[in-house]
Amino acid sequence: MTGDRTSGWTRRQALQSLALAGAAAAWAPRGLAQAPSRRIGVALVGLGHYSRDLLAPALQLTKHCRLAGLVTGSPGKLPEWQGRYGVPDRNVYSYDDFHRIADNPDIDAVYIATPNHLHKPLALVAANAGKHVWCEKPMAMDATEGEAMVKACRDNKVQLAVGYRMQHEPNTRRFMAMAKERPFGRIIKLRADAGWWGWRDGADDAWRLDPARGGGAMYDMGVYCVNAARYCTGLEPLAVSAFDETARRDLFKGVDETMRFRLEFPDDIVAECVTSFGRNLNTLQVDCERGWYAMSPFQGYEGNAGRASDGTVFEPQLGPRPRMQAEQMDQDALAILGNTAPRAPGEEGVADLRVLDAAFASARGDGKRVEIARG
Ligand code: NDP
């Protein structure tokens, strides 16, 4: 399945070429020549819905990336993928031989889009192989795992970016700026609701019902609420009270179908959030002392739309899917090429996981208030 892996290009030669190019950055990426016109070679890890329908098509729209490799546990998927995207055998891996990616100069970064329980182990393999890591949300199963990913990437001098596509969306970036500008004065309250209806028995992604594989609405959609509450305030929440309101206990065994939670921030700011696999929810509102601003959707694939109490309208800007994912990957590629921090680094994922850890603890205690661990 994996084909020819021979390559005349060694780590030593890569380091020599970096030295010759004067790439003296404190943390020069391993095995990466720093030419501005260079496209980052990306290997997709896990060829499921998100890779197939969004990431691979988006890579065709990018300016700074190219789909260079595939990592899969399903060899039967490969003829179609390789035929469609022209990925050579030598750039195809299984999860068992994924570590051999270290010897492949075609691949600079891996994009992990597997069930959530595999994010950390696969990220560690990639980091130890000297490859930059792009990882889907939620970054890991808990903050401890996330911290291990940050450390592994730091130790190996590779970048770690979380697939928070919204942080590359223009209207979201406007809301992030307003966290600092406070155009309507003091923020008093936020509302963030994220969910989708349509769970069906026998779905390919049955792992979303499996606690061992990171299933449940909180991991899948609640993380959007948490991330939004943090980027809309520019603050870290202090405590959370969470209530598991799962209705279909026959289907959702050991995972949350619906979670309602309340985040307490400094300055008496409160965020009220709902996440669900049983309801379509996609609304974010920030209430301030002199007005409000809101987006619905705030995590749509076609870009966000919204308005503010002063009549401002926020029109979707990026265009149809998968332009948002293309923008995200181009920005993350530019961070690698320019040796700058990605917009959503690993630490951003860890901060959200600290909130999730506390929320799960709160829900287990029937909504008792739980303080959120500090970094
Ligand atoms: P899918 O179930 O559609 O695909 C996951 C793929 O992971 C599978 O097809 C399979 O690919 C691989 N895989 C490896 N091990 C397992 C396992 N034990 N059980 C099941 N699959 C396995 O999921 P999605 O693509 O929808 O989600 C993948 C990740 O992307 C998740 O972390 C999710 O949260 C995130 N996501 C993010 C979105 C966003 O908007 N940012 C949207 C959707 C998902 P293979 O057969 O090739 O090994």
Side-chain angles (χ1 to χ4, degrees), residues 79-130:
E80 189 184 348
W81 274 84
Q82 288 185 266
R84 180 171 298 174
Y85 295 112
V87 177
D89 283 351
R90 67 174 184 278
N91 291 0
V92 173
Y93 297 86
S94 70
Y95 299 111
D96 292 335
D97 68 2
F98 178 38
H99 58 280
R100 296 179 63 194
I101 211 164
D103 298 325
N104 192 331
D106 286 350
I107 296 166
D108 304 298
V110 306
Y111 196 133
I112 299 169
T114 62
N116 304 326
H117 72 301
L118 293 175
H119 291 183
K120 177 203 159 194
L122 291 169
L124 264 52
V125 172
N128 290 332

Side-chain angles (χ1 to χ4, degrees), residues 46-50 72-74 77 95 113-119 136-138 163 165 205 207-208 213 220 224 301:
L47 308 181
H49 151 70
Y50 201 55
T72 181
S74 306
K77 293 179 181 175
Y95 299 111
T114 62
N116 304 326
H117 72 301
L118 293 175
H119 291 183
E136 258 316 311
K137 46 56 54 178
R165 56 187 170 80
D205 55 349
W207 63 267
R208 284 189 166 86
R213 286 184 283 175
D220 201 54
Y224 285 107
Y301 281 152

Side-chain angles (χ1 to χ4, degrees), residues 223-236:
V223 74
Y224 285 107
C225 306
V226 172
N227 201 241
R230 291 180 49 252
Y231 62 61
C232 283
T233 56
L235 298 168
E236 296 302 330

